[in-house]
Amino acid sequence: NELDVARTITNQATIALENARLYQSTVRTAERFAILNEASSQIGSSLDPEQVYISIHKSAERLMPVEAFILTLLDEEKQEIDPVYSFDRGKRTFDKPFPFGRGLSSEIIKQGKPLLMSNLEQINSVDTAPAPLGEDDDETQSIVAVPMFIGNKALGMLSVQSYQPGVYTEEDVQILGTLANQAIVAIQNGRLFAETQNLAAELEAR
């Protein structure tokens, strides 16, 4: 009888723990979508590229662990990847454009598919130079990288990275993909605005 009672209590405790886990997961998902909605307004509120990049970065930090962050854009005319915004270990870093075909960004843009890597072995199996980011003896061990699309064409990459293994999940991939969709629209709007201003200035000069 005591064994039956113990089993009943154990089963009830297991169900209660699972319900609590599911509840916490649901709450966390709802919080993340609320952050995404807020991020959409913040990212789209500026036409200045630098402010857009910063808003994207700050939104990503609220959504998941971010020790390194990089946003790259494809220059189709020059066939180069431009690391327009990168951040590592609490500071902004500045990297030069590199030929399209090299590195993680090129792979993500060419394939048009997200990538989730959870350990150093997976990362070393991919030619990621000059990304992921890293310094000293530390090495990036977790990466989420997603393409940024305009229509059906991938024109950039958004990536968050960590120096700890197994940090990211498939849900993180989906969340970052949604953020990337918001980001590329704001970036394109900023570019179109700048082009319009330049054209207006040229016409006025004539």
Side-chain angles (χ1 to χ4, degrees):
N1 289 338
E2 291 175 349
L3 183 59
D4 288 340
V5 170
R7 285 172 177 165
T8 300
I9 293 173
T10 300
N11 290 338
Q12 291 175 344
T14 300
I15 293 170
L17 288 172
E18 180 63 14
N19 287 341
R21 186 191 67 80
L22 290 173
Y23 174 76
Q24 290 175 344
S25 177
T26 301
V27 169
R28 175 56 179 156
T29 299
E31 289 175 347
R32 294 177 107 187
F33 278 107
I35 292 171
L36 281 173
N37 287 333
E38 183 181 336
S40 180
S41 299
Q42 292 177 346
I43 292 169
S45 65
S46 176
L47 293 171
D48 175 47
E50 184 68 14
Q51 290 303 314
V52 171
Y53 303 150
I54 292 171
S55 293
I56 297 165
H57 177 205
K58 296 304 180 184
S59 296
E61 286 186 322
R62 294 179 63 193
L63 290 163
M64 61 194 70
V66 178
E67 291 184 83
F69 177 93
I70 184 165
L71 192 159
T72 62
L73 297 174
L74 171 63
D75 186 326
E76 293 185 283
E77 184 177 341
K78 296 181 179 179
Q79 283 296 288
E80 287 183 340
I81 298 292
D82 187 4
V84 294
Y85 184 92
S86 54
F87 199 88
D88 189 23
R89 296 197 176 279
K91 62 183 179 181
R92 178 75 184 273
T93 61
F94 297 89
D95 304 295
K96 296 180 180 179
F98 54 91
F100 180 54
R102 283 182 53 201
L104 178 64
S105 295
S106 297
E107 188 69 19
I108 295 299
I109 292 170
K110 283 193 296 184
Q111 297 294 330
K113 296 179 181 179
L115 183 67
L116 170 62
M117 293 187 284
S118 300
N119 56 62
L120 200 57
E121 184 178 348
Q122 289 179 329
I123 293 170
N124 288 337
S125 68
V126 180
D127 175 20
T128 56
L133 307 173
E135 59 181 33
D136 302 326
D137 295 328
D138 295 314
E139 296 183 89
T140 300
Q141 298 203 49
S142 295
I143 295 176
V144 175
V146 297
M148 296 193 294
F149 285 96
I150 289 293
N152 294 322
K153 182 181 291 187
L155 294 176
M157 180 203 74
L158 185 61
S159 177
V160 296
Q161 306 173 6
S162 172
Y163 293 97
Q164 305 300 319
V167 169
Y168 303 115
T169 66
E170 289 293 341
E171 183 177 318
D172 292 320
V173 177
Q174 296 174 9
I175 292 290
L176 194 65
T178 302
L179 186 63
N181 292 337
Q182 298 172 352
I184 194 63
V185 171
I187 291 168
Q188 286 295 97
N189 287 343
R191 283 182 164 182
L192 290 173
F193 179 72
E195 290 173 4
T196 302
Q197 281 191 319
N198 291 335
L199 180 59
E202 290 175 5
L203 292 174
E204 187 176 339
R206 293 177 185 175

